[in-house]
Amino acid sequence: MRYLTFALAKGRLAKKALALLEQIGITCDEMKSDTRKLIFTNEELKCRFFLAKASDVPTYVEYGAADIGVVGKDTILEEKKNLYEVLDLGFGKCRMIVAGPKEMKDVLEQGGAIRVATKYPNIAKDYFYNHKSQKAEIIKLNGSIELAPLVGLSEVIVDIVETGTTLKDNGLVVLEEICPLSARMVVNRVSMKMENERISQMIKGLRELTK
Ligand code: PRP
């Protein structure tokens, strides 16, 4: 039997994904230890696991370096890789939104040209150009996106909102909803065919749990 390799987005999603996999008998005790190792193996199950930066997970899966990935829908939409999205895992729920000072609501509705700061330029372009047909200058940032309208870099932002605390603490509000987000399981297209039995079995087990 060949190894099935899992790429998990580092952080909260990985912890929840491992807890879910454990419930269907896919365990990796080695991963719980305090170590700088990058790859963990369960020899008995012939499974390997590694943690990667979220935005790299779709790349590992597209190229087949990982058979299976667990990553947020935001990253899947942004990275636009060629892979199967097989399951909504039901955790990591949040929303992709347009936010800014409340005065920007009218400007957005009138469809005037605006500047948008975001960590998600593809999602922002798709939303403003294809969905809204609105002129927008998209400015790519790598974090602390809420800063942009506060210091005059942009009028609005496209970002993730979970609890809403970051927006509230910075005097910003949700202006428009783009889409709901959550953690998803993705599978490499070739692996889906070559390892169909093992992968389908796993998806079935997880689907029962996440119903
Ligand atoms: C994310 C997101 C928001 C914040 C939303 O940032 O970009 O800033 O969390 O969460 P809340 O609605 O619960 O306040 P993250 O913490 O990932 O860091 P970043 O600013 O470096 O992107």
Side-chain angles (χ1 to χ4, degrees), residues 119 142-146 159-167:
K119 209 157 58 170
N142 296 298
S144 302
I145 312 301
E146 292 82 358
D159 200 15
I160 288 174
V161 63
E162 190 183 355
T163 61
T165 309
T166 314
L167 289 180

Side-chain angles (χ1 to χ4, degrees), residues 195-208:
E195 294 294 330
N196 190 269
E197 207 177 308
R198 285 169 88 190
I199 295 176
S200 300
Q201 199 63 33
M202 189 188 67
I203 295 170
K204 205 174 142 206
L206 289 172
R207 193 168 282 141
E208 286 298 313

Side-chain angles (χ1 to χ4, degrees), residues 18 24 33 45 61-63 75 80 97 100 111 135 141 148-149 155-156 160 169 181 199:
L18 285 168
I24 58 161
S33 59
L45 297 176
V61 176
E62 181 182 51
Y63 281 88
T75 309
K80 297 180 173 176
I97 48 94
K135 270 199 189 138
L141 288 178
E155 278 104 26
V156 298
I160 288 174
D169 288 355
L181 305 166
I199 295 176

Side-chain angles (χ1 to χ4, degrees), residues 23 29 36 38 41 90 93 110 124 129 133 135 140 144 146 166 204:
Q23 288 186 63
D29 291 337
R36 299 284 292 171
L38 295 171
T41 310
K93 283 190 180 171
Q110 285 152 13
Y129 303 161
S133 299
K135 270 199 189 138
K140 165 86 197 284
S144 302
E146 292 82 358
T166 314
K204 205 174 142 206

